[in-house]
Amino acid sequence: MTLPADAIDRDAVELEEVWRDPPGIWGWFTTTNHKVIAKRYIITAFLMFIAGGIEAGLMRAQLMRPGNTLVGPDRYNQLFTTHGTTMMFLFAVPIMTAMGLYFVPLMVGARTVAFPRLNAFGYWTYVVAVVFLYVSLFVNTGPDAGWFAYPPLSGPEYSPGHRVDVWAQVVTFTEIAALVAAVNVIVTTFKMRAPGMSLNRIPLFVWAQLVVAFMIIFAMPAVAVGSTLMLAADRALNMHWFNPAEGGDALLWQHVFWFFGHPEVYIIFLPALGFITPIIETFTERPLFGYSAVVLANITTAFFAFGLWVHHMFATPIPEVGQSLFTAASMLITIPTAVQIFCWIATLWGSRPRLAVPLLFVLGFFFTFVNGGITGVMLASVAFDKQAHDTFFVVAHLHYVLLGGGVMPLFGALHFWFPKVTGRLLNERLGKWQFWLFITGVNLTFFPMHILGLNGMPRRVYTYLPETGWGPLNLLATVGAVIIVLSVVVFLVNVAKSWKGGEIAGDNPWNSSGLEWAVPSPPPSYSFLHTPFVTGRHPLWETTDGLPVVTGLSVHERQVLVTTTFDAVPDYRHSMPSSSIWPMYLALCMGLVFIGSIFSPYFVLGGLGISLLGLVGWAWTASNKREEERVALPDGAVEA
C-alpha cells in the first residue's frame, strides 16, 4: 500500500527533530552525524592537499634551476618530509575513508554508521595530528628525516631534538583515526544493510571500502606500533630496537614500515577504483560487466598487497631468493587491477557514454595510471630497481600512480557526488577546464622526472650543479606544477560559486541507480524516511513505482534496523546515541598524552588521569541508551 502524504510529512518533521544536531556552537562540537563528520574530514583533508601542494611548489621552485638559493637545505628537508607525510597520512587515506563514511551508510540504506560517537572521536584525533604537524613546521620543528623516517637517520644520534618525535606521534594519531573509520565501515556494511541487500547485491563502491577497511585493520597497527613503541622508545628510552651496536637491526624498521607502507598505496588506490564503477555505470546507463570479477579482483589485490613490501628494499642486503619471490608478487598484483580495467572497458564498449566531467576524469585515470603501472612493473625488477632506486624515476612513478590512480578518480567522484552533498551541480565548463589543466600538468610535471632519474638525479637533494644538465627538465617540471596549481584553483572557484549559486540538482540529476540517490539532495539528518527494501543490485533502475520500504522504526528516538551479517534479514531495532562532547574531549586528552610524552612522562600520567573522566562520561551516557529490545517487525512491515 502507499503511505499517506500527511503521514510522511509528519514522520519527516519528527525524525528531523530527533536526528538533528543541537543548535549553535555546542552542536558544532558535539555532532555525531556521519554526514557532517565526513564532510569535515573531506574539507580538512583537501586543505591538507593544498598545504602539501604548497610544499611541493616550494620544492619545485627551488629545483627550477641549478644552484638556486630560494630554500636552504634544512628547510628543504622539512618541506619534503612534511609534504610526504601530509599527502600520505593527512590527505590520501583520510579523504578516501571519509568518502566511505559519508556514502557507505547511504548506499546500504542505513541512517547512520554503526558507532557514531567513535566516528566523531576519529575525526577529532585526526584534527589533533593536523594541528600538531603544522604548528611544529611553523616553529621550525617540522620532521626532516623523510616520510618513512629510516633509522639510523631518524635515531637519536643523527636526529637530536624533537623533529622525528613529531613525525612519530602524528603518524600514531592518523593510524588511530583510520582504524576507527575502518571499524565503522565494516560493522555498518555487515550489520546495517537494508533488508534484501545480500552480499552479492552490495554496490562495488561499498565492496572497495569494505576490503580497504580490512586492509587498514591488518596494516595500520604495524606502523602505529613501530612509530610509538619502537622508534619513539628508541629515541626517548634508549630501547635500541634499531641500533646494531646494541643488538638491534636498522632493517627491522624498514620491514615494519613497508609492511604497512605498501598496502597503504592500495588503501588509497582501491577506494579510487570504487569511485570509477558507479561513474561508468551512470554515464553509460548500463550495469557493470563482471560484477563478481571486480569483487574478487579487489579481494585479491588486498591479499597480494601484503606480500610486496620488500620490493621497497631491493637495494638492501636481502637474500636473492627472497628478492625473486617479491619480484614475482610485485608483477602478479597487476593482474587483478587489469581485470577491473578490462571490465570497465567492456562496459564502455558499444555504449554511447555521456562525456560529463566525472567520466572525463575516469578516462584520464586510464591513460595516466596505466603509464604509472608500467613503470611499477619496471621497478619490480631487481636489476632495474637497483639502478633507479632513490632517483627521480621513483618519484615520477609514485606520483603517476597516486595522482593518476588516486586523485583523478577522486576529482571525478567529487564532481559526481557534489550535487548529492550540496543539492547543486558544479559548473560543467569549469570542470572541463580543470580536467584538461590537471591531466596536462600531471604529465608535464612527472614525465620529465623519469628522464631525470635515468640521467642520475637523486631524490631529496635541494640543489644541483649546472654541469649535470638537469636544469631544463626541472624547469619543465616546475611549469607543469604551476599548471596543476591552476587546475586546483579552477576547482576551488567552481566549488565556491556552485555551493551557493549553482544549478539546483534535484534528488538524482545523473539518473544513477544507487540508494544514495533515493534520498533528497542534500540528505536530511535522518537520511532515509523509511528503510528501503532492496530487490537487486541497481535499486533505482529496477523499480518504477518507488522503492518498497520497511516501516515500524520509532520516530521519537534515534532508532535503526540491525540485520544479519550475510543475508540482510531484519534482526532487531537498535537505539543510537545522540550528540556528545566526549569524543572531542577524549581526542584532546589523547593528544595531551602522546604529544606530552615527547617532553615529560608527567604529561602521560596527567593525560591518562583526565582521560578517565572522559571514559566515565562516555560510558555513563551510553548506559542510558542500553534499552535495546529485540522486537520483531510487525506483520506487513514491507510496504510499497
Side-chain angles (χ1 to χ4, degrees), residues 190-237:
F190 280 139
K191 297 296 293 178
M192 298 181 70
R193 303 193 311 279
M197 186 176 280
S198 52
L199 290 183
N200 66 344
R201 291 176 176 171
I202 294 177
L204 288 167
F205 173 91
V206 178
W207 267 115
Q209 290 284 339
L210 180 64
V211 169
V212 165
F214 277 106
M215 292 180 70
I216 288 173
I217 285 178
F218 284 101
M220 296 297 187
V223 72
V225 169
S227 65
T228 304
L229 299 183
M230 299 176 80
L231 182 62
D234 255 20
R235 294 176 55 81
L237 304 175

Side-chain angles (χ1 to χ4, degrees), residues 286-303:
R286 56 169 63 175
L288 183 74
F289 175 86
Y291 175 95
S292 299
V294 172
V295 172
L296 293 174
N298 275 283
I299 296 171
T300 305
T301 300
F303 275 104

Side-chain angles (χ1 to χ4, degrees), residues 137-153:
L137 181 64
F138 285 121
V139 298
N140 201 33
T141 316
D144 60 353
W147 74 274
F148 29 68
Y150 281 173
L153 180 63

